[in-house]
Amino acid sequence: MSNFNKLLVFVSLVCSVSLFWGGPGAYSSRSFQQVWNLGHLLLFAILTYLTLKWSETISHWPFLRQVTVLLTAVFLISLLIEFTQMGLDGRSPDVFDILRNMVGCLFAVVFFSPSRKKSSPTSLRFFQIGVVTALMLFAVPLAFAIVDEIITLKQFPVLSDFETPLERMRWTGGTDHSVVSERARSGNHSLKIHLHTSQYSGIALDYFPKDWRNYRTLAFSVFNPSDIPLKLVCRIHDENHYPNGGDYEDRFNRTLVVRGGWNDIEISLADVMSAPQGRKMDMRRVQNIGIFSVRLPQERVIYLDYLRLVK
C-alpha cells in the first residue's frame, strides 16, 4: 500500500470515529461547525475512492452502474449512521449529512473512476458540473461563517449593530426576527423581533467575542412601538453554566421594563459577574445573551439595536 493510500485510510478512520464521538459543542464557532459538517464529504469521497482502487470488480463496472450502485449503498449506510446517532447525546439525524455523504461518493466516482473515461463525455461532464456545483453550495455556509467571524472581531466591542449583511447569523431563537431599515438607534438597521404568547419567546446572541474582562457595561437599545410597557428578561451565562446544571440561579437574569419608543439599556458587568450563586461568572468565557418575554397575553413587536460593550 502506498504512503498516500495509508494516509487516506488513516483520515477515513479518524472521520469515521468522529461520526459518533467528538465534534463541535453548542457554542463552538460557526466555522468549526461547518468544517465538521464537511467531514462527511471527505469521508465518503475517500471511502469511495479506496473502494474503486481496491475492488477490481467494481472499478470495471460501467460508469452509470457504478454511480447507481455506490450511491444506493452510501444512501443506505447513511440512513444506518443517522439512525445510530439518534441514541447518542448531542447528536440528531440530519438529512443534509446524507446529502453530503452522497455528494462525496459521487465526487470520487466522477473524477477518479477508471470507467469514467469510457462513458459518454456529455454524461460525464453533466455529473462533474453537478458535483462541483453541489460542493460549492455546501461550502457557502463555511464561507459566510468565516467572513462574519472576521467582521465580528473587527466590530468588537460592538457585538451586533445589524449593519452588515451576514450579521443575522449570530442570532438564534424560536421566534421570527429579521434585519430591517424601518427603525434604527444607530446606523440604518435594527433587528425586528416578533414576540409570541408562548411561555418564552425571544432571541439569543450565540456568536461573539467571549472575553469581556476589560469592559464594565453591556449596552443596547430596544424600541417598543406600543404605548403599553413591555416586560423583557435579559439573561447571560458563561461556559460553566450548563456543566453546572443550567439552573436559573447559576446565570444573570434581569427583568427590563420597556416603555414606548426607544429605551437605552445599560447592564453592569460587575452585576453579571456576581450573579451566579456560589461562584463568579467567568468573564473570559461569556457564552450567550438572551432577550425574551414570558407568557405575553398577546403578541408584540420590538426592535433591537446597537448591542455593545462599554469600558
Side-chain angles (χ1 to χ4, degrees), residues 183-292:
R183 298 188 190 278
R185 190 57 160 170
S186 173
N188 300 307
H189 300 87
S190 64
L191 188 69
K192 185 176 184 179
I193 306 164
H194 293 264
L195 300 172
H196 304 306
T197 57
S198 53
Q199 183 175 5
Y200 303 109
S201 178
I203 55 168
L205 180 63
D206 290 330
Y207 304 107
F208 54 89
K210 311 297 185 181
D211 190 345
W212 292 11
R213 287 175 297 174
N214 295 324
Y215 299 87
R216 74 178 166 80
T217 304
L218 170 68
F220 56 93
S221 298
V222 179
F223 184 87
N224 178 4
S226 170
D227 292 332
I228 303 173
L230 172 67
K231 285 186 177 181
L232 298 174
V233 176
C234 177
R235 56 162 289 176
I236 302 171
H237 69 256
D238 62 2
E239 69 173 15
N240 297 316
H241 176 60
Y242 286 115
N244 285 343
D247 294 335
Y248 179 88
E249 295 79 10
D250 190 64
R251 65 182 189 237
F252 173 85
N253 304 276
R254 178 164 295 174
T255 299
L256 311 171
V257 178
V258 178
R259 305 190 184 280
W262 280 108
N263 297 254
D264 297 320
I265 297 164
E266 293 188 351
I267 294 173
S268 167
L269 295 185
D271 292 345
V272 174
M273 184 173 64
S274 61
Q277 288 187 6
R279 69 180 184 94
K280 296 290 186 182
M281 189 175 296
D282 189 347
M283 302 307 289
R284 298 172 302 169
R285 297 181 176 88
V286 179
Q287 292 293 336
N288 178 270
I289 309 165
I291 298 172
F292 59 94

Side-chain angles (χ1 to χ4, degrees), residues 164-182:
T164 56
L166 302 178
E167 199 163 323
R168 187 175 175 274
M169 295 168 56
R170 304 173 197 173
W171 295 84
T172 60
T175 189
D176 299 330
H177 55 282
S178 58
V179 176
V180 298
S181 58
E182 57 202 65

Side-chain angles (χ1 to χ4, degrees), residues 24 64 107 113 117 126 133 141 144 185 204 217 264 300:
L64 289 180
F107 173 81
S113 168
K117 299 177 181 179
F126 171 80
T133 301
F144 282 176
R185 190 57 160 170
T217 304
D264 297 320
R300 302 285 293 270

Side-chain angles (χ1 to χ4, degrees), residues 9-236:
V9 171
F10 174 76
V11 172
S12 66
L13 288 174
V14 172
C15 291
S16 297
V17 171
S18 300
L19 290 174
F20 305 99
W21 291 278
Y27 298 113
S28 297
S29 69
R30 288 162 291 168
S31 56
F32 179 49
Q33 293 174 16
Q34 295 301 328
V35 168
W36 191 269
N37 287 337
L38 294 179
H40 286 264
L41 283 164
L42 178 63
L43 172 60
F44 281 86
I46 292 175
L47 292 178
T48 304
Y49 173 85
L50 293 176
T51 299
L52 294 169
K53 193 80 172 176
W54 291 341
S55 174
E56 287 290 330
T57 301
I58 296 177
S59 65
H60 289 93
W61 281 351
F63 176 72
L64 289 180
R65 184 180 179 187
Q66 286 179 345
V67 170
T68 303
V69 173
L70 290 174
L71 277 183
T72 301
V74 168
F75 176 73
L76 295 175
I77 292 171
S78 299
L79 287 179
L80 179 61
I81 291 172
E82 297 303 312
F83 178 79
T84 304
Q85 288 180 337
M86 290 176 63
L88 300 177
D89 290 340
R91 296 179 185 269
S92 58
D94 185 349
V95 66
F96 288 103
D97 284 346
I98 297 176
L99 293 176
R100 293 183 189 100
N101 297 344
M102 296 178 70
V103 170
C105 167
L106 197 56
F107 173 81
V109 175
V110 302
F111 285 100
F112 297 103
S113 168
S115 296
R116 76 188 191 282
K117 299 177 181 179
K118 300 177 183 178
S119 66
S120 163
T122 302
S123 298
L124 178 61
R125 188 63 60 192
F126 171 80
F127 278 112
Q128 289 178 333
I129 291 174
V131 168
V132 171
T133 301
L135 290 174
M136 293 174 64
L137 290 175
F138 280 126
V140 166
L142 173 59
F144 282 176
I146 292 173
V147 170
D148 190 55
E149 285 171 5
I150 293 172
I151 293 172
T152 300
L153 293 174
K154 290 184 176 180
Q155 287 181 330
F156 191 74
V158 173
L159 303 177
S160 194
D161 65 356
F162 310 105
E163 299 302 313
T164 56
L166 302 178
E167 199 163 323
R168 187 175 175 274
M169 295 168 56
R170 304 173 197 173
W171 295 84
T172 60
T175 189
D176 299 330
H177 55 282
S178 58
V179 176
V180 298
S181 58
E182 57 202 65
R183 298 188 190 278
R185 190 57 160 170
S186 173
N188 300 307
H189 300 87
S190 64
L191 188 69
K192 185 176 184 179
I193 306 164
H194 293 264
L195 300 172
H196 304 306
T197 57
S198 53
Q199 183 175 5
Y200 303 109
S201 178
I203 55 168
L205 180 63
D206 290 330
Y207 304 107
F208 54 89
K210 311 297 185 181
D211 190 345
W212 292 11
R213 287 175 297 174
N214 295 324
Y215 299 87
R216 74 178 166 80
T217 304
L218 170 68
F220 56 93
S221 298
V222 179
F223 184 87
N224 178 4
S226 170
D227 292 332
I228 303 173
L230 172 67
K231 285 186 177 181
L232 298 174
V233 176
C234 177
R235 56 162 289 176
I236 302 171

